[in-house]
Amino acid sequence: SIMSDDTNDLDLLDVQLEDIEDLPGFDVPSAGDYTLKLSASIKDINDKKCLEIGYEVMSCEKKNNDADPDAVPGTKFSQLFGLQGEPDKVKQALGYAKKLLEGIAEQVGEGNLMLLIRDHINGMVATATINRRKDKEDPEKFYPVIKHLKKA
């Protein structure tokens, strides 16, 4: 049986589950104020180019609701902005990207979106207020709503 010779090895498992650190995953953290590490890339999604802005949680400064779960440092999530396809949708995506990034653009003095993404965003440490928006179809799925994104 598993117990006979392996008792010493099984001691390695003698730990409370609640004492095991949670691993960072892909998840939109609970609403609050965060310090984040940013990334940016152009991705192909359904044969269309999208700008992906990635976020990695470094720390939570303040949760809106103390009862909400803590975000594990290293947790990642992202936002996509479609750059190809229906002109109206692209216009809307660029409008959202502008709204998201204009605070940082002002801080670093770069008004060109390409140069902002290429030269500044990757690896930048930033602060932001995060909220979660539920998916209409899937209530378990959340989208990030990012406000006050600023270079830290």
Side-chain angles (χ1 to χ4, degrees), residues 1-61:
S1 81
I2 188 171
M3 296 315 278
S4 55
D5 302 326
D6 298 333
T7 312
N8 291 345
D9 291 349
L10 277 169
D11 285 347
L12 299 171
L13 301 177
D14 188 9
V15 59
Q16 295 302 115
L17 288 176
E18 67 185 34
D19 294 338
I20 299 173
E21 257 185 66
D22 290 323
L23 294 175
F26 287 89
D27 199 18
V28 181
S30 305
D33 297 333
Y34 288 84
T35 300
L36 305 160
K37 192 175 195 179
L38 305 183
S39 62
S41 59
I42 305 290
K43 289 229 159 131
D44 282 304
I45 311 272
N46 303 329
D47 296 328
K48 291 187 176 71
K49 303 278 182 206
C50 291
L51 167 63
E52 182 179 52
I53 303 289
Y55 305 92
E56 182 178 329
V57 173
M58 294 175 75
S59 61
C60 175
E61 311 319 320

Side-chain angles (χ1 to χ4, degrees), residues 102-114:
E102 60 191 350
I104 287 175
E106 207 169 288
Q107 282 178 293
V108 299
E110 182 51 78
N112 181 291
L113 183 58
M114 180 194 83

